[in-house]
Amino acid sequence: MIVVELMGGLGNQLFQYAAGKSLAYKSKSELYVDARFLMNRNVESRKVTYRNYDLDIFKINPPLAAASASLRYGISASLVFRPVKRLFNRFINAGPLQYVAERRPYQYDVQFGDLTDNVYLSGYWQSTQYFQAIQQQLRAELQFAESIPAYASELAEEIKSNLSSVCVHVRRSDFINNRRHDVVPPVYYQEAEKLILARVNSPTFYVFSDDIEWCRTHIRFCAPTVFVGDEWAGNRAQLHLQLMTFCQHFIIPNSTFGWWAAWLSPGLNKIVVVPKKWAYVHQSFIGSDELIYPGWLTI
């Protein structure tokens, strides 16, 4: 069996699922997900944003790992025991599963290629290389569980039929004053607009955000712009994500939510603009190199 630990929001969960699924395909095994830490509402932390299990917005239903596996290998809710447990799992690998922790974020770990069956994965696994081999299978699996509701059908058809539609994703909320991530400034979107205007005839920009009112004030484009408000988000932002995938082109921030919208879009000739600086780790910026495909543009 392959067990992958879930952490973070939907975008993070998708990267973790994709890495685990890739290893499960390779080892001809079944993938289990460990959501025990994700759903724990008593996590000791100086600052924590609680997340929910969100993979079920897609037509996938990976079985949950047994509580024994979660207790043995999963992250502890205690700040005191969390690092101790990680070190124990890493250096005293005596259980039924091989514990594999991500060694460096946002960069493919070569140890992953040597893994086979009976593995517990702990990390974010944010590199396209982890699931490059199963892209087609993954796209076939990641179909939205719910169809577009009637009240959003007109907007959905408008976006689908517009061959010059550009999804603009603006991530704020928990990224404000975040030590690892930072809010992409308005100048990024201005520079991204120039790249789009040079390549797309008569674009229409569709702005999606967790702070749409801020966007109405601070995001300005020279072309027609539609601000897609919270009423189109759905109870878990799944409708926002689905509408975003209908766009032809993308301007995304350093957000996995926006990244997956671009990746899930079926367009073959899509233009995707991505920030060069993705995260700030150990007092240095980590680039988005591991997350971009040929033809994607960086600023």
Side-chain angles (χ1 to χ4, degrees), residues 6-114:
L6 298 181
M7 298 177 282
L10 173 59
N12 288 320
Q13 292 174 43
L14 281 169
F15 274 109
Q16 291 149 14
Y17 174 83
K21 195 68 174 179
S22 178
L23 187 55
Y25 266 105
K26 175 186 172 183
S27 61
K28 297 180 181 179
S29 183
E30 187 168 11
L31 173 65
Y32 293 78
V33 295
D34 180 3
R36 190 181 185 92
F37 177 79
L38 174 73
M39 298 304 294
N40 192 325
R41 292 300 181 260
N42 296 303
V43 176
E44 294 180 15
S45 179
R46 297 176 184 87
K47 183 179 180 181
V48 61
T49 300
Y50 289 124
R51 303 294 189 180
N52 294 314
Y53 176 81
D54 285 326
L55 291 178
D56 57 353
I57 74 168
F58 298 99
K59 294 179 180 179
I60 55 175
N61 187 29
L64 295 176
S68 57
S70 181
L71 290 170
R72 170 65 178 81
Y73 300 100
I75 296 176
S76 171
S78 169
L79 281 173
V80 175
F81 293 108
R82 199 176 304 169
V84 175
K85 190 173 184 181
R86 280 175 167 167
L87 287 172
F88 179 84
N89 282 327
R90 182 175 294 180
F91 295 109
I92 305 178
N93 224 329
L97 302 176
Q98 178 185 357
Y99 178 82
V100 179
E102 183 180 35
R103 293 185 291 191
R104 185 175 179 183
Y106 311 105
Q107 184 169 347
Y108 179 74
D109 192 333
V110 293
Q111 70 172 330
F112 190 87
D114 298 326

Side-chain angles (χ1 to χ4, degrees), residues 10-11 13-14 17 53-62 138-146 236-238 241-242 245 257 260-261 263-264:
L10 173 59
Q13 292 174 43
L14 281 169
Y17 174 83
Y53 176 81
D54 285 326
L55 291 178
D56 57 353
I57 74 168
F58 298 99
K59 294 179 180 179
I60 55 175
N61 187 29
L138 197 58
R139 289 184 186 279
E141 286 186 2
L142 293 178
Q143 302 296 319
F144 288 93
E146 298 181 1
R236 289 186 290 171
Q238 77 277 13
L241 182 63
Q242 193 167 6
T245 65
F257 188 89
W260 279 101
W263 190 87
L264 288 167

